[in-house]
Amino acid sequence: MHFRPLLGLSNGHLQTILASKLHGPRFLKHTIIHRIPLRDGAALAGLDSIPQNWVDGDPIVIIVHGMGGSARSGYVDRTGSRFFRYGVRVLRLDLRGSGLGVAWSKTVYHAGVSNDLADVMAWVSQAAPHSPVVILGSSLGGNITLKYAGECGANPPPNLKLILAVNPPINLLACLDMLENRYKRFYDKHFMRDLVGLAKRHARHHPDLPLPQFPKNVTVREFDALYTAPRNGFASAEEYYHRASAESVIPQITLPTLILTARDDPFIAVAPFDRLVVPSHITVDIRQRGGHLGYLGWDGQGGIRWGERYVVQWAMKRLASVQSASST
């Protein structure tokens, strides 16, 4: 599928900003809210939407949001709606310490919480043991998804069939260096509003865990050194960036995988994707344009969310092959 940006939107910044401002229709299907247990005694919230006539054996997609996002973020709602229209059961996650599950964990999610996805997969496998499962992660959620799949290596859960990642920061330090060197003022302010806001909301539910004193105009690097790293057992922000990045484990993924990113993404470094050496079942699709979770261009179905249609169509084509093979 060829991507052509909408007229006047060939700039990655415009793609990124406009796409984030246009939420689109809400995903308003009947949804059950689950408390999904995690191995350390915490839990996260899963928003589970089940199509009419869905049965065990029909497909499931697990959608993982990015930094500062939630199960109700625009890109989560829109991709969930697209899958739902194909009869796919949609499980949208609020990662630990956020969203509807903010009170259920003493810690807040970060880029390396791949064990949480392992626990979610165990829960899904018990609830629907015969259903093929797709995991779709966007931005930070894409890194978490790829890290989990790589750590599974040759032994993924039997019902996990496909991995999708959109604009994932697979090398956190390279992305942070890019952010600080080129777009610091604008994007740092945007990210810190979300990160500090999340930390404060979490602290209201866990007053026994006082917040550090964040400096005025705190940067992402400072936030990770003061909060993310110590709260999650990392010796430093640099250790966190190294251990949480998915780049080194991506070649170990044994499942069909699509990684979509763009060269004009304002804060996802493209060099780590260029140097990836991966087996043929992993597709690394680097587009010249698209920004960060943008890809605003005609999708061939009357809409302008080209990237979301592309990812869903890629998955549905391969799910059809999986289901055809299992029925023979």
Side-chain angles (χ1 to χ4, degrees):
M1 292 175 61
H2 177 67
F3 170 61
R4 178 175 296 174
L6 293 175
L7 185 65
L9 292 183
S10 60
N11 180 278
H13 296 285
L14 291 176
Q15 284 274 337
T16 300
I17 295 167
L18 187 58
S20 70
K21 298 299 183 184
L22 299 175
H23 187 289
R26 292 282 178 180
F27 187 23
L28 298 176
K29 303 299 181 183
H30 177 68
T31 298
I32 304 166
I33 299 171
H34 299 288
R35 179 183 174 119
I36 301 176
L38 304 174
R39 66 189 64 188
D40 62 354
L44 55 76
L47 281 64
D48 189 8
S49 302
I50 306 175
Q52 189 175 13
N53 301 321
W54 185 95
V55 296
D56 182 20
D58 293 339
I60 300 172
V61 62
I62 300 169
I63 304 183
V64 189
H65 66 77
M67 185 166 69
S70 76
R72 293 152 302 270
S73 292
Y75 53 91
V76 176
D77 272 356
R78 292 189 302 269
T79 51
S81 294
R82 285 181 183 268
F83 275 112
F84 193 87
R85 289 197 294 270
Y86 284 106
V88 178
R89 180 174 175 177
V90 179
L91 180 65
R92 295 167 289 156
L93 302 180
D94 273 330
L95 290 170
R96 69 157 61 221
S98 70
L100 297 178
V102 63
W104 300 345
S105 172
K106 288 284 190 180
T107 57
V108 173
Y109 71 88
H110 58 80
V113 289
S114 48
N115 281 342
D116 289 0
L117 269 189
D119 294 340
V120 171
M121 269 304 304
W123 183 89
V124 169
S125 297
Q126 185 175 25
H130 302 104
S131 288
V133 178
V134 180
I135 304 180
L136 164 60
S138 296
S139 194
L140 194 79
N143 182 80
I144 297 169
T145 298
L146 293 170
K147 183 172 181 285
Y148 165 64
E151 290 167 348
C152 286
N155 298 295
N159 56 337
L160 180 57
K161 301 301 182 183
L162 300 175
I163 298 295
L164 310 169
V166 183
N167 295 89
I170 62 173
N171 184 310
L172 295 171
L173 187 57
C175 294
L176 186 60
D177 288 343
M178 179 178 172
L179 174 69
E180 292 181 338
N181 289 336
R182 297 171 65 186
Y183 313 112
K184 180 177 176 59
R185 182 176 298 177
F186 178 81
Y187 289 114
D188 234 15
K189 183 178 180 180
H190 168 76
F191 285 131
M192 292 321 306
R193 181 192 65 208
D194 290 341
L195 289 174
V196 173
L198 175 62
K200 289 180 177 179
R201 287 194 300 276
H202 187 262
R204 287 196 290 270
H205 291 273
H206 302 279
D208 56 319
L209 298 173
L211 287 174
Q213 286 294 114
F214 295 120
K216 185 178 181 181
N217 299 321
V218 60
T219 66
V220 173
R221 195 185 295 264
E222 290 169 339
F223 179 89
D224 288 334
L226 289 168
Y227 186 82
T228 310
R231 285 289 174 95
N232 292 285
F234 299 105
S236 64
E238 287 69 26
E239 182 190 6
Y240 160 56
Y241 300 143
H242 174 71
R243 288 176 53 190
S245 296
E247 181 181 8
S248 64
V249 299
I250 289 174
Q252 301 170 23
I253 297 174
T254 57
L255 297 163
T257 298
L258 172 65
I259 303 172
L260 174 64
T261 195
R263 292 193 181 278
D264 65 351
D265 189 315
F267 38 84
I268 301 297
V270 75
F273 298 99
D274 285 329
R275 63 176 176 250
L276 275 178
V277 179
V278 295
S280 60
H281 58 267
I282 300 176
T283 299
V284 182
D285 191 338
I286 307 173
R287 300 285 166 151
Q288 291 297 120
R289 299 285 182 266
H292 188 74
L293 304 184
Y295 308 101
L296 295 175
W298 299 115
D299 66 1
Q301 295 181 331
I304 63 169
R305 296 285 182 172
W306 177 92
E308 292 165 11
R309 185 208 169 191
Y310 171 53
V311 169
V312 174
Q313 292 287 96
W314 191 95
M316 294 310 303
K317 180 179 179 180
R318 283 150 186 81
L319 273 176
S321 298
V322 167
Q323 291 182 290
S324 176
S326 65
S327 65
T328 58

